[in-house]
Amino acid sequence: MVGMSGAYGGHNGSESRQSKEAVVVGAPEMIGVGLGMGVVHKVASPPAQSTASKMKGKVKETFFPDDPFRSFKGQPQRAKLLLAVKYLFPVLEWAPGYTLSLFKSDLVAGLTIASLAIPQGISYAKLANLPPIIGLYSSFVPPLVYAVLGSSRDLAVGPVSIASLIMGSMLRQAVSPSAEPALFLQLAFTATLFAGLVQASLGILRLGFIIDFLSKATLVGFMAGAAVIVSLQQLKALLGIVHFTTQMGIVPVMASVFQHTDEWSWQTILMGACFLVLLLTARHVSIRWPKFFWISACAPLACVIVSTLLVFLFKAQNHGISIIGQLKCGLNRPSWDKLLFDPAYLGLTMKTGLVTGIISLTEGVAVGRTFASLKDYQVDGNKEMMAIGLMNVVGSCTSCYVTTGAFSRSAVNHNAGCKTAMSNVIMALTVMVTLLFLMPLFVYTPNVVLGAIIIAAVIGLIDLPAAYNIWKMDKMDFLVCVCAFAGVIFISVQQGLAIAVGISIFRVLMQITRPRMMIQGNIKGTDIYRNLHQYKEAQRVPGFLILTVEAPINFANTNYLNERTKRWIEDESSSGNKQTELHFVILDLSAVPAIDTSGIAFLIDLKKATEKRGLELVLVNPTGEVMEKIQRANDAHDHFRPDCLYLTTGEAIASLSGFAKMATP
């Protein structure tokens, strides 16, 4: 080894190199190196693989980590065809064995969630600045599509508050829903089509990991902020204000509320407050005593019925309480002829579809996985993306807007004892009956009650315990959460989300470019080496600087690692203590899963820098990919001989301690 004779004070470096190499390269043998007997194992190279084989493995692990087609192996052609059909249409997995007892459970669950879906559908459509009937259309066709294509037994499909808010606010920036309702409706259908195409594409191309950029901290802050904005928007209905701001931020909304105090209606405020208290009480009862879940599930429909009767009996529409008005009976009308691809609006609809698609997809997949874990069954995330995406594509052609699986509705479905996706079919059929025969009953439904229903539904999105846990666990994650919340309520929904995602990505980049690198010491009486700062009983080993890297080594962090390592070497070399004079730098690569050409160049440069100081660089336990690239570097130049590669830090210390003692005067 270069510089070893100087470090070892007269010891022949080439002879020691040959003797050590003979031991390290061969099978495990017993050797004596001044400190007793020890075993030095060979650092094994990974099995040789062709480039095509490696690429195939990487593609499989990236896009097919769950190996969805493993059940196809060893099956005859006919069985493979049947499995493929079942994979595309999960309904075929449970429908053939469907029983009357399962139907009874699904019937109860379906009717229960229908009682929640009908008032929520009307309310969320108004939140999106769409006609109320569109909310009911969106609770009819999409659940039928999902029942055929979806893999979750508990997911209850329909419009959701956040996607409704985002769609309404983004489209309203270009078109007024009151001045041009027909054009606004066309843009909503077109945005829904793009949302469905984005969602289905993510599933088909196995790109579901993209939604992972919405971290838990981001979602907690975003959902809480959106819930506040949604609730503030309902002040228009709760106070009876006619001229209300079109902006979404908390400042302009509150300014609009207090600038139009002359429009406040005490009758509207009284009715809204009473029904809001009733809804929140029902929600509290269901949370406190879960067996009474049906109370909160039925409360919205009960409020709609009671308030409608009150308005009808007391002619409240003549006393300042606004009502929905006439709604046409009939099922969904085809809307493929209403899809608008005008270049003037194409960018807006694509952008709206992308944002609403990602948000609703994240919510739907997360809800499906949550309830699947409670019942101990698997939900295929990519299959869910395809199902939700195709559901929205079909919905855009049948007068529906963006739909997904809502948490509140799915929780009711789960608590009501649903067994299969048939509960969605029951709900859809109930909505169908409503569309065909019951629409005239909603003429006198007051808008203030719909606003109260929305507030009661979204208040559950404010998860204070989750925010507190994030604060306790990780202050940086809490910053992301706060930025998402503040961005949504003070700027806009989409920009608040973008800020939070940007901060999350910046944090990931910081972790990549500034990886953890630590000095290790030996825990006395053992062969264990751990972080000196974490384990107080760990002690430095004289003559050795033991470093470990806990991240891939690549072009983004090699400069940082190089500077950090050299600084530690300089600090050790300048100590001036002959008893602890540095001779070896050990770099533990156990936690380095990958390395690129820049990383190999860093190791080569580090080895040269240590040799100039009369030191030796030793690598410990390089993983398969790292070892393979080290060997390739050795093919051109013999940078890392076998005698500087060890399987464990303990073996490296045992093997090299004798030379370090001989080098110390």
Side-chain angles (χ1 to χ4, degrees), residues 7 142 195 206 245 250 302 309 426 443 453 507 570 619 635:
R206 314 288 294 183
T245 180
I250 186 173
L309 287 173
I426 302 298
V443 172
I453 290 172
R507 187 186 182 191
E570 289 175 0
L619 305 181
D635 290 341

Side-chain angles (χ1 to χ4, degrees), residues 270-529:
L270 179 62
M271 176 175 279
C274 290
F275 283 105
L276 181 59
V277 170
L278 178 63
L279 288 165
L280 293 177
T281 302
R283 179 178 179 274
H284 175 73
V285 169
S286 297
I287 293 175
R288 186 74 180 271
W289 297 282
K291 64 180 179 179
F292 296 116
F293 69 91
W294 53 270
I295 294 179
S296 64
C298 298
L301 185 59
C303 288
V304 168
I305 294 172
V306 172
S307 64
T308 302
L309 287 173
L310 289 174
V311 171
F312 176 75
L313 293 174
F314 294 101
K315 306 298 181 185
Q317 71 273 21
N318 299 326
H319 299 281
I321 294 180
S322 64
I323 59 175
I324 292 178
Q326 190 69 40
L327 297 176
K328 294 181 180 179
C329 288
L331 300 181
N332 303 38
R333 295 167 178 78
S335 58
W336 52 73
D337 58 330
K338 292 184 173 63
L339 298 176
L340 184 65
F341 300 102
D342 188 331
Y345 301 106
L346 190 60
L348 174 65
T349 53
M350 292 178 69
K351 179 182 174 183
T352 304
L354 176 64
V355 176
T356 56
I358 293 295
I359 292 297
S360 59
L361 187 64
T362 303
E363 181 176 0
V365 173
V367 171
R369 286 175 174 167
T370 298
F371 289 105
S373 65
L374 293 177
K375 288 189 176 180
D376 196 25
Y377 68 91
Q378 293 294 322
V379 166
D380 186 331
N382 288 288
K383 197 186 297 185
E384 285 294 283
M385 293 176 196
M386 289 188 283
I388 294 173
L390 293 174
M391 176 180 76
N392 281 314
V393 169
V394 174
S396 69
C397 300
T398 53
S399 300
C400 304
Y401 76 108
V402 173
T403 55
T404 187
F407 185 83
S408 59
R409 206 172 303 141
S410 299
V412 170
N413 195 29
H414 171 80
N415 291 329
C418 70
K419 301 299 181 184
T420 68
M422 180 60 76
S423 60
N424 275 292
V425 177
I426 302 298
M427 177 188 72
L429 293 177
T430 307
V431 173
M432 181 187 74
V433 172
T434 303
L435 287 169
L436 288 174
F437 306 110
L438 304 180
M439 296 314 297
L441 301 179
F442 292 98
V443 172
Y444 293 100
T445 300
N447 287 313
V448 63
V449 169
L450 300 181
I453 290 172
I454 291 175
I455 292 176
V458 302
I459 200 168
L461 298 176
I462 303 175
D463 195 345
L464 293 178
Y468 178 74
N469 286 336
I470 292 172
W471 162 259
K472 296 290 289 183
M473 293 287 291
D474 192 323
K475 299 300 187 289
M476 189 64 187
D477 262 357
F478 185 74
L479 175 63
V480 171
C481 180
V482 170
C483 287
F485 177 79
V488 168
I489 66 172
F490 288 109
I491 306 175
S492 71
V493 175
Q494 56 270 28
Q495 291 181 12
L497 180 63
I499 290 171
V501 172
I503 294 175
S504 297
I505 293 176
F506 176 75
R507 187 186 182 191
V508 171
L509 291 175
M510 287 298 295
Q511 291 172 344
I512 293 172
T513 58
R514 296 294 184 270
R516 285 175 58 84
M517 194 175 189
M518 299 166 295
I519 299 179
Q520 290 189 333
N522 175 247
I523 296 180
K524 191 173 182 180
T526 71
D527 196 29
I528 299 173
Y529 294 82

